Amino acid sequence: MSVAIFAIIMSLIALLYSAYLSFKILKIPAGSEKMQEISNAIKEGAMAYMARQYKTISIFAVIITAILWVLFGFPIAAGFVLGALLSAASGYIGMNISVRANVRTAETAKTGLKEALSVAFQGGAVTGMAVVGLALFAVSLFYAIYPEPALLVGLGFGASLISLFARVGGGIFTKAADVGADLVGKIEAGIPEDDPRNPATIADNVGDNVGDCAGMGADLYETYVVTLLAAMLLATIPSVSATYNMAIEYPLILGGIAIISSIIGSWFVKLGKSKNIMGAMYKGLIASGVIAAVGFYFATMYTNNPLNLFLAAIVGLVITLLINVITEYYTSTKYAPVRKTAEASTTGAGTNLITGLAFGLQSTLLPVLVICAGILASYQFAGVYGIAIAAVSMLSLTGMIIALDSYGPITDNAGGIAEMSGLDKSVRNITDELDAVGNTTKAVTKGYAIGSAALAALALFVAFTEEISHVLTEELVFRLTDPIVLVGLFIGSMLPFIFSALCMTAVGNTAQKIVVEVRRQFKEIKGIMDGSGKPEYAKCVDIVTSAALKSMILPAVLAILAPLLVGYFLGVKALGALLIGVILSGLLMALFMANAGAIWDNAKKYIEDGNFGGKGSEAHKAAVVGDTVGDPFKDTAGPALNALIKVINTFAIVFAPLLVVYGLTLF
């Protein structure tokens, strides 16, 4: 059996397991008529948004496909289409089950915490296994048809571009709705989160799904694809192929083994006597990592490779564990950063913001040191190929990591459904307990995605230099004394800031429209506050849908035009420097924004749990302000930077040879 066929079979096993979990969840009762009515409203809003988003994206996809076909031929264009289609499918599948698992989690919470956790996690596992199954299927199928790694770049570009649209559009949708709902509902009207009297509450719950489930699904699908692509491209370097056996196929073997380890690991996520939800999650993650490590050892022996290659893979697993632990420290309500930020809220919104910003900036230190140590260790073991293998190893836990992430919006929605349908307070207590952990798992997942993106982007950069070397007549050297290199570095370092500004501006402008609409409904619709009148939920959903679809275009255009213009006018040396700048500043910006946002969010949650005056206190109002600032940090701009980094890198690999031949190269 060829390695490609083995990988295809493993990917189909992942998809079958995802389908099995879906059927299992759908057999669970969906609750009362009122609960189903609310759930259906969330589901319809999410489906409507996804349909409109993909319709908009398809216009760009068709144009780019035609350009790639004309410039590079059918295989590259076909790869782009396959990568784009399966990226869209991964996001759609995840969101589709999440909007059904939410109401079932709320219903099962009537039975107890253990049962509700099982439903919510299995709902997340559907997304996780579907994403890794589709990603491995795409790469292995395309490689089976075209056994030339260079032709996989179209696949990576398609996955990256769709991921960028999904991340930016979904992030704008979810955070504009969330911020608007909080500013009027919590601060002005003084009503709880997910209160059915708030006209923006359905849009807020829809946003959790299109942002976290669909957005994260597409994001990590793309990361998985481009990481395999980078490793396979590096395997074609003569020095690598001469040193390691089956160097091109080795990453596919690791991916197949990781699917089995993730399936088995998911069985370990069970609540023990301590009722430690995060502990149950870590049991599953650690079990997956240990099983994967054993499998990687036998894969290395099977391919008759040196033990150093196995050690490079172990480095990736260690990085994953360390980044998860570090991110949990900074974002969990159990530890000092969140608690001190909550305490700072007692003296106002200003001190809340200052403290959250400080901890967010500080939170970049340890992850960067871990990544640096991982780069040095994996390079020491197996050179640049070892760095790529470490990144592949990190991504081997994607199934479990996405399960933890998608668990978050499911439990968040479950709490909203419990609140809006008037379920007993004991049910809401259980969903709140699940949701508190969900905020941490979402933050941990973002840290993981950012860390893996950094290693993947580094491998992609090396692949870029190798691709360029085939068409250049001289060696490509990046010297800091060369002004063209410095210009490329500055432009690349600047791009994540401009990209983040566009995302934040879109959230702010759309949130203003939601605030105006919610105020209008409170004023004009009689009886909303006493429950005798019904808000017009669809109005808010339509506002954020339209705004998100319009606002996601400019950041995506920036990601394509910037490297194209720099490469065309300044040359591939400036383009290579731009890639380095984007990777470095993008990594730091993404870590800072994702962690700072999560700190503000959980500081608010910590106060709502009865600390520092609890709900309705002055500290709570200040924390809500911090949370509204943090929302677009952690769920829009921060995670979207992952996609930006990889879109620019894959675009450069695809188009750089053409820029060498036809670029103006003015300097």
Side-chain angles (χ1 to χ4, degrees), residues 99-172:
V99 295
R100 289 168 169 80
N102 53 17
V103 68
R104 290 165 172 83
T105 300
E107 175 66 14
T108 312
K110 297 175 182 177
T111 307
L113 180 65
K114 181 179 179 181
E115 293 78 6
L117 169 63
S118 177
V119 175
F121 176 75
Q122 287 179 7
V126 171
T127 307
M129 298 314 300
V131 167
V132 294
L134 288 171
L136 186 59
F137 179 78
V139 177
S140 53
L141 176 66
F142 202 80
Y143 179 69
I145 298 171
Y146 299 105
E148 172 55 53
L151 296 178
L152 286 167
V153 293
L155 184 75
F157 184 41
S160 297
L161 192 63
I162 299 305
S163 166
L164 183 63
F165 277 114
R167 257 308 185 191
V168 174
I172 293 169

Side-chain angles (χ1 to χ4, degrees), residues 410-630:
I410 290 173
T411 56
D412 194 348
N413 274 198
I417 291 169
E419 177 78 31
M420 288 185 276
S421 57
L423 296 184
D424 189 79
K425 189 176 180 181
S426 61
V427 175
R428 183 69 209 230
N429 288 340
I430 288 175
T431 58
D432 280 349
E433 195 171 345
L434 293 170
D435 185 29
V437 174
N439 283 330
T440 302
T441 62
K442 286 189 287 185
V444 164
T445 305
K446 290 180 178 72
Y448 163 83
I450 294 164
S452 60
L455 285 184
L458 183 59
L460 284 171
F461 173 75
V462 177
F464 161 80
T465 60
E466 285 298 316
E467 288 297 304
I468 288 297
S469 67
H470 297 318
V471 291
L472 284 177
T473 56
E474 58 184 23
E475 185 181 1
L476 187 63
V477 178
F478 299 96
R479 291 191 177 90
L480 291 179
T481 53
D482 187 340
I484 206 69
V485 171
L486 287 174
V487 168
L489 280 171
F490 275 120
I491 294 174
S493 299
M494 168 268 295
L495 286 176
F497 289 85
I498 302 303
F499 179 85
S500 299
L502 292 172
C503 294
M504 297 284 286
T505 300
V507 171
N509 291 341
T510 309
Q512 288 180 32
K513 296 177 182 177
I514 292 295
V515 167
V516 170
E517 174 60 24
V518 173
R519 285 173 177 168
R520 181 194 69 79
Q521 291 195 34
F522 278 149
K523 182 178 180 180
E524 296 180 7
I525 300 176
K526 305 295 183 183
I528 283 184
M529 294 308 292
D530 62 18
S532 60
K534 185 176 180 181
E536 297 174 352
Y537 300 119
K539 290 270 189 182
C540 291
V541 173
D542 186 63
I543 288 172
V544 287
T545 297
S546 299
L549 294 177
K550 291 176 183 176
S551 302
M552 72 180 182
I553 294 173
L554 188 55
V557 170
L558 174 69
I560 294 174
L561 279 185
L564 181 63
L565 294 176
V566 167
Y568 183 74
F569 288 107
L570 301 180
V572 292
K573 190 179 292 186
L575 177 57
L578 178 144
L579 299 183
I580 298 171
V582 166
I583 293 169
L584 294 179
S585 76
L587 168 65
L588 292 168
M589 279 283 288
L591 285 170
F592 158 62
M593 298 183 89
N595 290 335
I599 289 168
W600 280 315
D601 189 356
N602 275 348
K604 179 199 69 175
K605 296 284 185 186
Y606 187 67
I607 293 173
E608 289 176 346
D609 288 340
N611 301 290
F612 303 116
K615 292 181 181 179
S617 65
E618 291 303 312
H620 182 235
K621 292 178 181 177
V624 169
V625 173
D627 181 37
T628 56
V629 174

Side-chain angles (χ1 to χ4, degrees), residues 198-217:
N198 191 331
T201 191
I202 294 295
D204 185 9
N205 282 280
V206 169
D208 290 332
N209 294 287
V210 301
D212 275 310
C213 293
M216 180 58 80

Side-chain angles (χ1 to χ4, degrees), residues 32 50 210:
S32 65
M50 293 297 285
V210 301

